[in-house]
Amino acid sequence: TTDKYDRQLRLWGASGQKALSETVVVLIRATAAGTETLKNLVLPGLGAFVVMDDEAAVVTPHDVCGNFFVSINDTMISRAQATCKSLQELNPDVQGSFLNVPSLMDAVANVDSWSNLIAPKLAVAAAFAKQVLVVASDLEPHLKLAVANTCASLGYNCIFVQSYGLMGTVRLQTSPALLPIWNPKPRDTLPDLRLHKPFASLEDLANSA
């Protein structure tokens, strides 16, 4: 096949691929954990993404050492801009943009501030976007709470990722009504190991027993 998404279509089917292509992801804070999470959605054909970070967050030597999506040439450039450019290069079919805000806390504090800042970015992808997923990366507890409350008010699913060196945590915030399980695959079916078309010598051996 010439379909670059063939492998994942075999995994989650056409309905899963369609759902992914109709999703816009908002990444809050472009850390290594956040950009790696977004990479795993961009490669299989996400609809669009927005990288949001503080205006003061520029690429530093520390970022270069730990984040695959920035380089030494990006030093002192907006971290959101640098990571957005690198992520978009992974899949030209995916629409990417970035947003620098004076304060992440002010941007996600309530629905009104979110609407004023994020809504215009989401409107660009409105033609195909059916759902919004928020990925919040390495946020402080008070920021996590603000994001959680705003996403709950807007009805958005949210994934919180937190990295601690080689370890980390992933938390999902959603409602059962917002996350139905489509086409669940059975896990308790015994495999059928019978040979329905045995080769001739094996069939002769079985018949002679």
Side-chain angles (χ1 to χ4, degrees), residues 86-160:
S86 297
L87 286 163
Q88 199 163 16
E89 290 175 354
L90 297 176
N91 193 340
D93 295 340
V94 179
Q95 179 180 336
S97 60
F98 66 93
L99 178 63
N100 292 314
V101 295
S103 166
L104 279 179
M105 184 63 198
D106 292 340
V108 302
N110 54 63
V111 174
D112 291 337
S113 59
W114 176 281
S115 299
N116 292 333
L117 290 169
I118 307 297
K121 290 286 185 180
L122 299 181
V124 177
F128 62 87
K130 298 292 180 65
Q131 58 185 344
V132 175
L133 172 66
V134 175
V135 176
S137 170
D138 295 308
L139 300 185
E140 296 79 7
H142 67 283
L143 262 177
K144 285 183 182 177
L145 182 59
V147 171
N149 290 335
T150 300
C151 287
S153 299
L154 293 169
Y156 293 160
N157 295 327
C158 185
I159 297 175
F160 296 92

Side-chain angles (χ1 to χ4, degrees), residues 59-66 72 75:
V59 177
T60 65
H62 176 77
D63 293 314
V64 174
C65 292
I72 192 67
T75 303

